[in-house]
Amino acid sequence: MPPRSKRKAGESVATENGNESDGVVGTRSRRPSSKHAAVEARKQTESEKRLTLLEKKIKALTKKNKELEAAQINAGSGHEDQVDGDDQQSTGSPGPESEEEDGTLIQARQLKSARTGRQEARDVRGPAAQPLQPPLSLPFKDGKIPEGKPKAGDYEPGASKLVLRACREYEVLIATEDPFPDPAKQNAWATRVWTSVCTGAQISYKLTDRLERIITDRGSHARGEVRDKIRPHIEKNYGFIDDGSERAKLHNIATYHNLLDSEAPNPDPTFVYKNPETRYKYAHNAIILKAIKETWFADPSLAPAIKYTSQFSPIRDVTLALLFTVVEHCLDQWAEGSLNKNLMFTQKAYETKYKYHLQHVRDWINLAPESAETIRQRMYDRARKASGATPLVTRPAGLSEETRERLRTELAAQAAAPDSDDEGGPQA
């Protein structure tokens, strides 16, 4: 009788009928045939190939998904189709040959499920808004960092136009909101105008310290432009004489003090009136109206007061106070009897005077706000018309005075009358 075959504990052996057994004692064992071994080897090789292919695909998908996430771009349908293809391939092939392959397929399905879930969520909310791109660096001209004082011309032509547009908007704020902003306000305004320009251009550029300096430096430029428009008219408008004689100097000094009312305990400068001697028509001196036209309405196609109508219509109290302050500076240049062009128009010297004029303008407006607004609107409308621009058509701000008075009387009468049903129809 042949001896029993020996095997290790737990080792599977082939039974006589060709099935595998866990080696129950008493059964006969035999070695698998060479054909069966070849089939098993081929299956193992195919399984390893499929596993390698799936691992490569999963790594590629994972890498691409990370790149898309980093770029803040939503996964597209094309990627979902790719995962669907992987699933179809797995479905058509034999079941998992190992726990590693099974885990790989599960990972693929999880990736697909996550992306499908995000897509379904977007479908519920509606079309997803494109995420904001991080701010770009404004390109320098020829790609070189310039030296010297920063200026708009340091940048590429397209970028330079954006800088100049921001500078113009900043100058409008100087003319209509505050001619002498403190450093904090300057920085806030630089951010405000740069954001406005980038939004209009549908692009986002970083507001660097260099760029901020270019913008805020336009404050002195804006004030200087007003001065340059007014100064040439001072001599003729107010009657100064520039012949170098002693008599002319005495005349000029007297004129200067009269226009500033400097001898009065509570000075009321007369140079702002249409007629300084009689003090007739406040804020209507010819030089004021001329400065408005020449400074902010000169070129209809580029005029700030036309392009930024809401900032100038009606002419603001700040704008009038700035004009008065600049006129006083130009008059100060005649204080010693002859024109002194070395006297500078600085914030340190004239901010206090500006606040003085601003208070006077606001006191004038508060005397009759509606009437003062009408007058300031006429200033704007006349300057706009003189520039050749299309007239600004606006609806009345509210009820006319005549209508107000009529309705006021009617309300009082209705309140005093006894209660009655007056909904039947029109009354005489």
Side-chain angles (χ1 to χ4, degrees), residues 86-94 109:
D86 293 341
D87 286 346
Q88 292 169 5
Q89 180 179 349
S90 300
T91 303
S93 62
R109 293 191 183 99

Side-chain angles (χ1 to χ4, degrees), residues 149-315:
K149 183 178 180 180
K151 57 184 182 298
D154 293 339
Y155 300 92
E156 289 290 345
S160 180
K161 289 181 180 179
L162 294 179
V163 177
L164 290 175
R165 193 177 304 161
C167 289
R168 285 193 292 268
E169 290 192 13
Y170 186 87
E171 291 179 1
V172 168
L173 298 179
I174 292 290
T176 61
E177 295 193 12
D178 188 352
F180 301 103
D182 58 37
K185 185 179 287 188
Q186 291 178 32
N187 295 338
W189 280 3
T191 301
R192 172 179 167 183
V193 299
W194 188 243
T195 301
S196 171
V197 167
C198 289
T199 300
Q202 296 184 342
I203 196 168
S204 180
Y205 282 118
K206 297 177 183 177
L207 178 62
T208 61
D209 292 342
R210 182 186 188 89
L211 185 54
E212 185 176 276
R213 180 181 172 187
I214 294 174
I215 295 173
T216 56
D217 280 353
R218 299 292 284 208
S220 59
H221 177 272
R223 295 186 293 268
E225 185 177 7
V226 179
R227 177 203 60 205
D228 293 343
K229 298 295 183 182
I230 288 177
R231 186 162 56 189
H233 303 296
I234 291 289
E235 181 178 342
K236 182 178 180 180
N237 189 74
Y238 292 112
F240 290 103
I241 302 173
D242 190 21
D243 62 8
S245 65
E246 190 64 25
R247 182 178 180 180
K249 287 184 178 181
L250 293 175
H251 166 80
N252 293 340
I253 292 173
T255 300
Y256 167 77
H257 287 290
N258 288 336
L259 291 171
L260 268 68
D261 195 26
S262 55
E263 302 295 331
N266 187 17
D268 176 23
T270 65
F271 65 83
V272 301
Y273 292 91
K274 182 175 183 178
N275 187 330
E277 293 183 2
T278 61
R279 304 190 184 194
Y280 170 69
K281 295 191 76 170
Y282 180 82
H284 276 69
N285 190 278
I287 204 168
I288 302 298
L289 304 179
K290 188 173 293 186
I292 292 175
K293 295 175 185 177
E294 294 183 1
T295 306
W296 299 297
F297 287 90
D299 184 350
S301 62
L302 299 174
I306 296 175
K307 187 173 182 179
Y308 304 99
T309 302
S310 62
Q311 295 288 123
F312 289 90
S313 176
I315 299 299

Side-chain angles (χ1 to χ4, degrees), residues 34-110:
S34 59
K35 182 178 180 180
H36 182 77
V39 170
E40 290 297 324
R42 186 169 59 253
K43 286 184 179 181
Q44 182 66 25
T45 302
E46 290 176 355
S47 175
E48 291 176 354
K49 287 182 179 179
R50 283 196 300 272
L51 176 58
T52 302
L53 179 62
L54 285 169
E55 286 178 341
K56 289 182 178 179
K57 287 186 176 182
I58 293 302
K59 288 180 180 179
L61 285 171
T62 303
K63 181 179 179 181
K64 196 160 190 177
N65 189 59
K66 288 182 178 180
E67 291 175 352
L68 292 174
E69 294 283 348
Q72 296 181 338
I73 301 175
N74 293 324
S77 60
H79 301 93
E80 295 171 1
D81 293 340
Q82 186 175 356
V83 177
D84 289 339
D86 293 341
D87 286 346
Q88 292 169 5
Q89 180 179 349
S90 300
T91 303
S93 62
E97 296 292 336
S98 68
E99 293 181 359
E100 182 179 359
E101 182 179 349
D102 185 46
T104 304
L105 291 173
I106 292 173
Q107 185 180 3
R109 293 191 183 99
Q110 288 175 341

